[in-house]
Amino acid sequence: MYAYRNCMDFYRKLPGEYPWGCGHLYFSEQRYFFKGRRIDSLTWRERIALFRTQHPLPSHWLMDENGRILPECFVDYEAVERFFRSPRAFIAFLYVRKEDEAAIKQEIYQDYLESRSIQDLRRMGNRYCVNYCGKSLIKAPFEIRLKVARRMLAERLSGRSPSLAKALFLQPADLQFLV
């Protein structure tokens, strides 16, 4: 995805000419591989310092002079070509996956908002309430607590969850009609 999308959108050249991608490997008439240094030629300390990991990387992988692992080491371009059979099918698949990824990210974000603890939400709501009307959340009238809830929803600090209602001393049904 990176090789095709970023290259077309930002680099304005063919994917095979993009130096930071692996477009030169997919569906090429003539593949060219970059020359590099094998990872096993580094000492253990050099590997940790360069890649910032103690996880053992395959020793046959190659890296360039800047320490970037060359894509031809970990990209199974032959399997991709056998599976998709044409660049057009591959690019179509990438764009369908992009839409799926956006939906998945939205769902994860919504789950995160709904899973915030009641104490965190109450602390944020109390801060808004004190700034808005000078009273703590527990002493604020119903209308003020609704305005705090509306503001927290507008700033995407929470979703319309029972946790938010409980944190702001409201009923879950009170949050249904807030915009």
Side-chain angles (χ1 to χ4, degrees):
M1 291 184 197
Y2 177 82
Y4 283 96
R5 288 190 197 141
N6 281 0
C7 180
M8 301 295 194
D9 294 342
F10 302 109
Y11 194 64
R12 304 285 187 220
K13 291 192 177 182
L14 294 174
E17 298 170 3
Y18 191 43
W20 299 284
C22 52
H24 64 283
L25 299 174
Y26 294 113
F27 302 103
S28 297
E29 293 289 324
Q30 181 180 4
R31 287 191 177 89
Y32 57 91
F33 298 96
F34 295 108
K35 295 191 187 227
R37 184 174 165 195
R38 285 175 58 107
I39 289 180
D40 63 358
S41 69
L42 300 171
T43 66
W44 182 251
R45 288 181 188 219
E46 287 175 326
R47 288 183 204 186
I48 292 173
L50 190 60
F51 300 114
R52 294 183 178 32
T53 181
Q54 292 186 8
H55 182 73
L57 298 171
S59 60
H60 64 279
W61 280 10
L62 300 172
M63 56 177 243
D64 66 5
E65 65 277 353
N66 297 324
R68 292 183 309 198
I69 297 173
L70 298 177
E72 54 261 27
C73 298
F74 57 86
V75 172
D76 191 2
Y77 51 89
E78 292 171 339
V80 170
E81 288 180 354
R82 280 194 309 273
F83 185 75
F84 290 103
R85 297 193 177 133
S86 76
R88 180 174 281 183
F90 180 55
I91 292 171
F93 170 76
L94 295 179
Y95 278 97
V96 169
R97 291 279 303 154
K98 184 178 179 182
E99 293 168 2
D100 292 344
E101 288 171 7
I104 290 169
K105 283 181 185 175
Q106 182 63 31
E107 186 174 325
I108 290 170
Y109 179 69
Q110 190 63 33
D111 288 346
Y112 165 73
L113 289 179
E114 290 174 3
S115 69
R116 280 191 147 163
S117 72
I118 293 173
Q119 290 84 9
D120 290 341
L121 293 171
R122 188 165 288 155
R123 197 175 311 117
M124 285 186 283
N126 198 37
R127 190 170 43 240
Y128 281 136
C129 194
V130 168
N131 290 341
Y132 182 70
C133 69
K135 294 182 181 179
S136 68
L137 193 62
I138 199 163
K139 295 179 181 177
F142 176 76
E143 294 80 18
I144 300 294
R145 286 181 283 159
L146 273 179
K147 287 182 180 183
V148 169
R150 181 178 292 120
R151 182 171 177 185
M152 289 178 72
L153 289 171
E155 293 182 10
R156 298 183 182 269
L157 296 174
S158 178
R160 293 176 200 265
S161 65
S163 298
L164 178 64
K166 189 172 184 179
L168 300 179
F169 306 108
L170 299 169
Q171 296 295 321
D174 297 335
L175 300 178
Q176 288 178 353
F177 304 106
L178 293 179
V179 177

